[in-house]
Amino acid sequence: MSCDCAEFQKHADNLQLRNKSILDIVTKLDEQVSMLNRAVFKSVTHCGCIEINASQQVFLDNLTLEENQENLKTHIEGELCPKCQDKIEEEIGDVLFYLASMCNALELDLDDIMKQKLRNLKTLGIYNLL
């Protein structure tokens, strides 16, 4: 099934009944992001399908930004099991719903926002997020 941002945003608007206030939307979005984070952490602490082995990211002066980027790590080892993947995808979907709801409340177009961000990313490349 194919879905675009405009279609998703329209359906989110049609389904947003109880939490139409921007105050409700902001707090629900925050709550959903927390639930997404919790699902990721439970993949580590309860299931164990992935591990997080974090250390300082090292940038070497004698390498270019691109070369340094290749050496950066996600700190994740292993692969999500199907159950954890399903749960994380579900939580990401809920985050997207409340993000679309926020756009609706503020009369913003999520698709336009994504397109503008993509243009910025393409224009500035690796320097965009420094």
mmCIF file of all heavy atoms in Angstrom, residues 27-60:
data_model
loop_
_atom_site.group_PDB
_atom_site.id
_atom_site.type_symbol
_atom_site.label_atom_id
_atom_site.label_comp_id
_atom_site.label_asym_id
_atom_site.label_seq_id
_atom_site.Cartn_x
_atom_site.Cartn_y
_atom_site.Cartn_z
ATOM 1 N N THR A 27 1.781 17.497 23.894
ATOM 2 C CA THR A 27 2.076 16.560 24.984
ATOM 3 C C THR A 27 1.959 15.112 24.522
ATOM 4 O O THR A 27 2.733 14.259 24.965
ATOM 5 C CB THR A 27 1.169 16.812 26.207
ATOM 6 O OG1 THR A 27 -0.204 16.727 25.819
ATOM 7 C CG2 THR A 27 1.444 18.184 26.806
ATOM 8 N N LYS A 28 1.025 14.810 23.619
ATOM 9 C CA LYS A 28 0.911 13.450 23.096
ATOM 10 C C LYS A 28 2.124 13.107 22.226
ATOM 11 O O LYS A 28 2.626 11.981 22.276
ATOM 12 C CB LYS A 28 -0.380 13.271 22.296
ATOM 13 C CG LYS A 28 -1.632 13.218 23.135
ATOM 14 C CD LYS A 28 -1.655 12.038 24.070
ATOM 15 C CE LYS A 28 -1.871 10.748 23.353
ATOM 16 N NZ LYS A 28 -1.959 9.569 24.216
ATOM 17 N N LEU A 29 2.604 14.069 21.432
ATOM 18 C CA LEU A 29 3.807 13.833 20.619
ATOM 19 C C LEU A 29 4.994 13.533 21.521
ATOM 20 O O LEU A 29 5.750 12.576 21.286
ATOM 21 C CB LEU A 29 4.096 15.040 19.723
ATOM 22 C CG LEU A 29 5.351 14.960 18.853
ATOM 23 C CD1 LEU A 29 5.314 13.753 17.924
ATOM 24 C CD2 LEU A 29 5.521 16.239 18.053
ATOM 25 N N ASP A 30 5.141 14.309 22.581
ATOM 26 C CA ASP A 30 6.227 14.084 23.530
ATOM 27 C C ASP A 30 6.094 12.696 24.174
ATOM 28 O O ASP A 30 7.085 11.961 24.306
ATOM 29 C CB ASP A 30 6.215 15.184 24.593
ATOM 30 C CG ASP A 30 7.390 15.091 25.538
ATOM 31 O OD1 ASP A 30 8.540 15.004 25.061
ATOM 32 O OD2 ASP A 30 7.160 15.109 26.769
ATOM 33 N N GLU A 31 4.891 12.335 24.544
ATOM 34 C CA GLU A 31 4.635 11.022 25.145
ATOM 35 C C GLU A 31 4.982 9.900 24.166
ATOM 36 O O GLU A 31 5.599 8.899 24.539
ATOM 37 C CB GLU A 31 3.169 10.931 25.553
ATOM 38 C CG GLU A 31 2.766 9.614 26.178
ATOM 39 C CD GLU A 31 1.277 9.584 26.511
ATOM 40 O OE1 GLU A 31 0.672 10.642 26.748
ATOM 41 O OE2 GLU A 31 0.734 8.465 26.532
ATOM 42 N N GLN A 32 4.609 10.068 22.903
ATOM 43 C CA GLN A 32 4.891 9.036 21.906
ATOM 44 C C GLN A 32 6.379 8.895 21.631
ATOM 45 O O GLN A 32 6.877 7.786 21.448
ATOM 46 C CB GLN A 32 4.136 9.329 20.610
ATOM 47 C CG GLN A 32 2.654 9.085 20.685
ATOM 48 C CD GLN A 32 2.268 7.691 21.139
ATOM 49 O OE1 GLN A 32 1.324 7.536 21.886
ATOM 50 N NE2 GLN A 32 2.970 6.678 20.727
ATOM 51 N N VAL A 33 7.107 10.003 21.625
ATOM 52 C CA VAL A 33 8.556 9.931 21.449
ATOM 53 C C VAL A 33 9.171 9.158 22.622
ATOM 54 O O VAL A 33 10.064 8.318 22.422
ATOM 55 C CB VAL A 33 9.177 11.332 21.299
ATOM 56 C CG1 VAL A 33 10.691 11.282 21.388
ATOM 57 C CG2 VAL A 33 8.743 11.968 19.980
ATOM 58 N N SER A 34 8.671 9.407 23.824
ATOM 59 C CA SER A 34 9.161 8.660 24.995
ATOM 60 C C SER A 34 8.865 7.173 24.855
ATOM 61 O O SER A 34 9.700 6.330 25.208
ATOM 62 C CB SER A 34 8.522 9.203 26.271
ATOM 63 O OG SER A 34 8.956 10.513 26.510
ATOM 64 N N MET A 35 7.685 6.841 24.339
ATOM 65 C CA MET A 35 7.330 5.431 24.156
ATOM 66 C C MET A 35 8.206 4.781 23.075
ATOM 67 O O MET A 35 8.576 3.609 23.196
ATOM 68 C CB MET A 35 5.848 5.304 23.831
ATOM 69 C CG MET A 35 4.963 5.661 25.027
ATOM 70 S SD MET A 35 3.216 5.694 24.651
ATOM 71 C CE MET A 35 2.888 3.961 24.437
ATOM 72 N N LEU A 36 8.550 5.542 22.050
ATOM 73 C CA LEU A 36 9.460 5.043 21.024
ATOM 74 C C LEU A 36 10.834 4.766 21.629
ATOM 75 O O LEU A 36 11.418 3.697 21.413
ATOM 76 C CB LEU A 36 9.572 6.051 19.875
ATOM 77 C CG LEU A 36 10.654 5.792 18.836
ATOM 78 C CD1 LEU A 36 10.483 4.440 18.164
ATOM 79 C CD2 LEU A 36 10.667 6.915 17.806
ATOM 80 N N ASN A 37 11.337 5.709 22.401
ATOM 81 C CA ASN A 37 12.626 5.509 23.069
ATOM 82 C C ASN A 37 12.573 4.283 23.970
ATOM 83 O O ASN A 37 13.516 3.477 23.993
ATOM 84 C CB ASN A 37 13.006 6.744 23.877
ATOM 85 C CG ASN A 37 13.350 7.927 23.003
ATOM 86 O OD1 ASN A 37 13.677 7.776 21.836
ATOM 87 N ND2 ASN A 37 13.267 9.120 23.565
ATOM 88 N N ARG A 38 11.488 4.123 24.697
ATOM 89 C CA ARG A 38 11.341 2.976 25.596
ATOM 90 C C ARG A 38 11.367 1.662 24.809
ATOM 91 O O ARG A 38 11.989 0.689 25.235
ATOM 92 C CB ARG A 38 10.034 3.102 26.394
ATOM 93 C CG ARG A 38 9.782 1.988 27.372
ATOM 94 C CD ARG A 38 10.727 2.047 28.548
ATOM 95 N NE ARG A 38 10.435 0.953 29.467
ATOM 96 C CZ ARG A 38 11.345 0.188 30.026
ATOM 97 N NH1 ARG A 38 12.622 0.440 29.828
ATOM 98 N NH2 ARG A 38 11.015 -0.787 30.830
ATOM 99 N N ALA A 39 10.709 1.637 23.652
ATOM 100 C CA ALA A 39 10.699 0.422 22.835
ATOM 101 C C ALA A 39 12.114 0.070 22.370
ATOM 102 O O ALA A 39 12.501 -1.104 22.360
ATOM 103 C CB ALA A 39 9.759 0.598 21.641
ATOM 104 N N VAL A 40 12.894 1.081 21.995
ATOM 105 C CA VAL A 40 14.282 0.827 21.589
ATOM 106 C C VAL A 40 15.070 0.276 22.774
ATOM 107 O O VAL A 40 15.787 -0.724 22.646
ATOM 108 C CB VAL A 40 14.941 2.114 21.042
ATOM 109 C CG1 VAL A 40 16.439 1.906 20.822
ATOM 110 C CG2 VAL A 40 14.265 2.555 19.748
ATOM 111 N N PHE A 41 14.923 0.899 23.932
ATOM 112 C CA PHE A 41 15.682 0.457 25.104
ATOM 113 C C PHE A 41 15.269 -0.936 25.554
ATOM 114 O O PHE A 41 16.105 -1.719 26.000
ATOM 115 C CB PHE A 41 15.521 1.454 26.253
ATOM 116 C CG PHE A 41 16.032 2.841 25.913
ATOM 117 C CD1 PHE A 41 15.497 3.957 26.524
ATOM 118 C CD2 PHE A 41 17.023 3.046 24.971
ATOM 119 C CE1 PHE A 41 15.953 5.232 26.221
ATOM 120 C CE2 PHE A 41 17.488 4.312 24.646
ATOM 121 C CZ PHE A 41 16.951 5.411 25.279
ATOM 122 N N LYS A 42 13.975 -1.270 25.425
ATOM 123 C CA LYS A 42 13.520 -2.609 25.801
ATOM 124 C C LYS A 42 14.088 -3.666 24.854
ATOM 125 O O LYS A 42 14.260 -4.817 25.243
ATOM 126 C CB LYS A 42 11.998 -2.671 25.842
ATOM 127 C CG LYS A 42 11.420 -1.976 27.068
ATOM 128 C CD LYS A 42 9.923 -2.030 27.099
ATOM 129 C CE LYS A 42 9.489 -3.349 27.700
ATOM 130 N NZ LYS A 42 8.037 -3.401 27.957
ATOM 131 N N SER A 43 14.392 -3.283 23.614
ATOM 132 C CA SER A 43 15.033 -4.221 22.694
ATOM 133 C C SER A 43 16.402 -4.633 23.230
ATOM 134 O O SER A 43 16.872 -5.731 22.969
ATOM 135 C CB SER A 43 15.199 -3.590 21.313
ATOM 136 O OG SER A 43 13.948 -3.312 20.745
ATOM 137 N N VAL A 44 17.007 -3.728 23.991
ATOM 138 C CA VAL A 44 18.302 -4.003 24.602
ATOM 139 C C VAL A 44 18.121 -4.721 25.937
ATOM 140 O O VAL A 44 18.683 -5.794 26.158
ATOM 141 C CB VAL A 44 19.098 -2.693 24.818
ATOM 142 C CG1 VAL A 44 20.402 -2.967 25.564
ATOM 143 C CG2 VAL A 44 19.357 -1.994 23.497
ATOM 144 N N THR A 45 17.322 -4.133 26.823
ATOM 145 C CA THR A 45 17.279 -4.598 28.208
ATOM 146 C C THR A 45 16.365 -5.791 28.452
ATOM 147 O O THR A 45 16.639 -6.600 29.334
ATOM 148 C CB THR A 45 16.842 -3.457 29.145
ATOM 149 O OG1 THR A 45 15.538 -3.009 28.769
ATOM 150 C CG2 THR A 45 17.824 -2.309 29.091
ATOM 151 N N HIS A 46 15.297 -5.939 27.682
ATOM 152 C CA HIS A 46 14.367 -7.048 27.912
ATOM 153 C C HIS A 46 14.577 -8.170 26.920
ATOM 154 O O HIS A 46 14.655 -9.328 27.309
ATOM 155 C CB HIS A 46 12.914 -6.557 27.838
ATOM 156 C CG HIS A 46 12.532 -5.717 29.010
ATOM 157 N ND1 HIS A 46 11.416 -5.957 29.761
ATOM 158 C CD2 HIS A 46 13.110 -4.634 29.577
ATOM 159 C CE1 HIS A 46 11.321 -5.056 30.725
ATOM 160 N NE2 HIS A 46 12.339 -4.247 30.635
ATOM 161 N N CYS A 47 14.652 -7.830 25.641
ATOM 162 C CA CYS A 47 14.797 -8.852 24.604
ATOM 163 C C CYS A 47 16.259 -9.238 24.418
ATOM 164 O O CYS A 47 16.584 -10.415 24.363
ATOM 165 C CB CYS A 47 14.203 -8.355 23.294
ATOM 166 S SG CYS A 47 14.390 -9.513 21.919
ATOM 167 N N GLY A 48 17.102 -8.234 24.289
ATOM 168 C CA GLY A 48 18.523 -8.499 24.073
ATOM 169 C C GLY A 48 18.897 -8.742 22.624
ATOM 170 O O GLY A 48 20.022 -9.155 22.339
ATOM 171 N N CYS A 49 17.969 -8.474 21.703
ATOM 172 C CA CYS A 49 18.288 -8.703 20.289
ATOM 173 C C CYS A 49 19.331 -7.717 19.782
ATOM 174 O O CYS A 49 20.047 -8.013 18.822
ATOM 175 C CB CYS A 49 17.028 -8.663 19.429
ATOM 176 S SG CYS A 49 16.089 -7.126 19.475
ATOM 177 N N ILE A 50 19.414 -6.566 20.423
ATOM 178 C CA ILE A 50 20.473 -5.616 20.088
ATOM 179 C C ILE A 50 21.198 -5.221 21.364
ATOM 180 O O ILE A 50 20.666 -5.370 22.471
ATOM 181 C CB ILE A 50 19.947 -4.348 19.358
ATOM 182 C CG1 ILE A 50 18.953 -3.571 20.217
ATOM 183 C CG2 ILE A 50 19.386 -4.710 17.997
ATOM 184 C CD1 ILE A 50 18.524 -2.226 19.632
ATOM 185 N N GLU A 51 22.411 -4.733 21.190
ATOM 186 C CA GLU A 51 23.204 -4.210 22.298
ATOM 187 C C GLU A 51 23.658 -2.812 21.935
ATOM 188 O O GLU A 51 23.816 -2.493 20.755
ATOM 189 C CB GLU A 51 24.442 -5.074 22.551
ATOM 190 C CG GLU A 51 24.145 -6.453 23.060
ATOM 191 C CD GLU A 51 25.419 -7.263 23.303
ATOM 192 O OE1 GLU A 51 26.535 -6.685 23.250
ATOM 193 O OE2 GLU A 51 25.298 -8.470 23.524
ATOM 194 N N ILE A 52 23.861 -2.000 22.949
ATOM 195 C CA ILE A 52 24.409 -0.669 22.739
ATOM 196 C C ILE A 52 25.766 -0.626 23.422
ATOM 197 O O ILE A 52 25.866 -0.823 24.628
ATOM 198 C CB ILE A 52 23.488 0.430 23.312
ATOM 199 C CG1 ILE A 52 22.148 0.407 22.582
ATOM 200 C CG2 ILE A 52 24.150 1.798 23.194
ATOM 201 C CD1 ILE A 52 21.098 1.333 23.141
ATOM 202 N N ASN A 53 26.790 -0.426 22.619
ATOM 203 C CA ASN A 53 28.153 -0.305 23.121
ATOM 204 C C ASN A 53 28.660 1.062 22.693
ATOM 205 O O ASN A 53 29.174 1.229 21.592
ATOM 206 C CB ASN A 53 29.040 -1.425 22.577
ATOM 207 C CG ASN A 53 28.639 -2.774 23.125
ATOM 208 O OD1 ASN A 53 28.498 -2.920 24.331
ATOM 209 N ND2 ASN A 53 28.419 -3.723 22.256
ATOM 210 N N ALA A 54 28.492 2.029 23.569
ATOM 211 C CA ALA A 54 28.785 3.417 23.201
ATOM 212 C C ALA A 54 30.119 3.873 23.769
ATOM 213 O O ALA A 54 30.510 3.503 24.866
ATOM 214 C CB ALA A 54 27.672 4.327 23.703
ATOM 215 N N SER A 55 30.759 4.675 22.965
ATOM 216 C CA SER A 55 31.981 5.351 23.389
ATOM 217 C C SER A 55 32.054 6.660 22.619
ATOM 218 O O SER A 55 31.273 6.903 21.703
ATOM 219 C CB SER A 55 33.208 4.485 23.102
ATOM 220 O OG SER A 55 33.302 4.210 21.720
ATOM 221 N N GLN A 56 33.001 7.474 22.976
ATOM 222 C CA GLN A 56 33.143 8.775 22.327
ATOM 223 C C GLN A 56 33.395 8.587 20.835
ATOM 224 O O GLN A 56 34.186 7.741 20.425
ATOM 225 C CB GLN A 56 34.293 9.551 22.961
ATOM 226 C CG GLN A 56 34.505 10.918 22.361
ATOM 227 C CD GLN A 56 35.694 11.629 22.977
ATOM 228 O OE1 GLN A 56 36.526 11.033 23.642
ATOM 229 N NE2 GLN A 56 35.777 12.928 22.749
ATOM 230 N N GLN A 57 32.719 9.404 20.036
ATOM 231 C CA GLN A 57 32.979 9.411 18.599
ATOM 232 C C GLN A 57 34.265 10.203 18.377
ATOM 233 O O GLN A 57 34.418 11.312 18.877
ATOM 234 C CB GLN A 57 31.820 10.072 17.845
ATOM 235 C CG GLN A 57 30.508 9.350 18.021
ATOM 236 C CD GLN A 57 30.358 8.125 17.111
ATOM 237 O OE1 GLN A 57 31.321 7.581 16.588
ATOM 238 N NE2 GLN A 57 29.137 7.699 16.923
ATOM 239 N N VAL A 58 35.190 9.622 17.641
ATOM 240 C CA VAL A 58 36.494 10.246 17.432
ATOM 241 C C VAL A 58 36.549 10.850 16.031
ATOM 242 O O VAL A 58 36.270 10.174 15.042
ATOM 243 C CB VAL A 58 37.631 9.216 17.605
ATOM 244 C CG1 VAL A 58 38.975 9.850 17.331
ATOM 245 C CG2 VAL A 58 37.584 8.607 19.004
ATOM 246 N N PHE A 59 36.890 12.131 15.976
ATOM 247 C CA PHE A 59 37.113 12.830 14.714
ATOM 248 C C PHE A 59 38.613 13.081 14.593
ATOM 249 O O PHE A 59 39.212 13.701 15.468
ATOM 250 C CB PHE A 59 36.367 14.169 14.685
ATOM 251 C CG PHE A 59 34.874 14.020 14.624
ATOM 252 C CD1 PHE A 59 34.126 13.897 15.776
ATOM 253 C CD2 PHE A 59 34.227 13.990 13.397
ATOM 254 C CE1 PHE A 59 32.755 13.748 15.720
ATOM 255 C CE2 PHE A 59 32.852 13.857 13.333
ATOM 256 C CZ PHE A 59 32.113 13.739 14.496
ATOM 257 N N LEU A 60 39.187 12.604 13.524
ATOM 258 C CA LEU A 60 40.618 12.775 13.315
ATOM 259 C C LEU A 60 40.869 13.972 12.410
ATOM 260 O O LEU A 60 40.265 14.094 11.333
ATOM 261 C CB LEU A 60 41.217 11.510 12.713
ATOM 262 C CG LEU A 60 41.027 10.235 13.561
ATOM 263 C CD1 LEU A 60 41.521 9.024 12.805
ATOM 264 C CD2 LEU A 60 41.720 10.379 14.905
#
